[in-house]
Amino acid sequence: MTDKPIVKRQPRRSDPTTVVLAEVRAERKALSGDDRPLGGGLRPDRARLHYRREADRWAEIAFARSLADHPGWDAELLAVLNAAIATADSATARAGLIQVAALATAAVEQLDHDAS
């Protein structure tokens, strides 16, 4: 009888997004469970106007950078985050925050890739 050679499989590389989200989950557990509004302060309507202007400003910066072939995570993150905070509609704010989380995850993955 001939024994078949044992084929060792390479360990499976973990998905970068899974690794980042595990870190996010750990950080989330450390946050308090206090209820608070997305946008705080004494004058939320005025604050939303401020965030809307900032969202537009950062969106313009992101667009100009993309035209000049000099993109960066910062402008996209700030544009989307400010837009999410600026809206009074909770569904729109939620969608924006999910987009912020996706952009932040991609940025962390890029940092990890560049460091390796």
Side-chain angles (χ1 to χ4, degrees), residues 1-58:
M1 259 181 156
T2 59
D3 291 331
K4 291 184 178 180
I6 298 174
V7 177
K8 290 188 178 182
R9 291 184 180 186
Q10 292 290 335
R12 198 169 177 191
R13 291 180 65 192
S14 54
D15 175 42
T17 302
T18 303
V19 173
V20 172
L21 292 179
E23 291 179 52
V24 170
R25 186 174 291 114
E27 284 294 319
R28 172 62 185 102
K29 286 181 181 180
L31 296 175
S32 67
D34 296 343
D35 286 340
R36 60 185 104 173
L38 179 57
L42 295 175
R43 298 181 177 156
D45 291 336
R46 286 184 68 188
R48 278 195 292 275
L49 290 173
H50 167 76
Y51 287 117
R52 179 73 264 155
R53 286 189 303 268
E54 286 297 301
D56 293 342
R57 185 172 76 87
W58 281 107

Side-chain angles (χ1 to χ4, degrees), residues 70-84:
H70 297 292
W73 292 112
D74 57 344
E76 286 185 69
L77 277 164
L78 289 168
V80 175
L81 177 61
N82 280 295

Side-chain angles (χ1 to χ4, degrees), residues 60 90 97:
E60 288 175 16
S90 61
L97 291 174

Side-chain angles (χ1 to χ4, degrees), residues 96-115:
L97 291 174
I98 293 295
Q99 190 176 4
V100 168
L103 287 166
T105 300
V108 171
E109 289 173 5
Q110 182 69 49
L111 290 170
D112 291 348
H113 178 267
D114 291 349

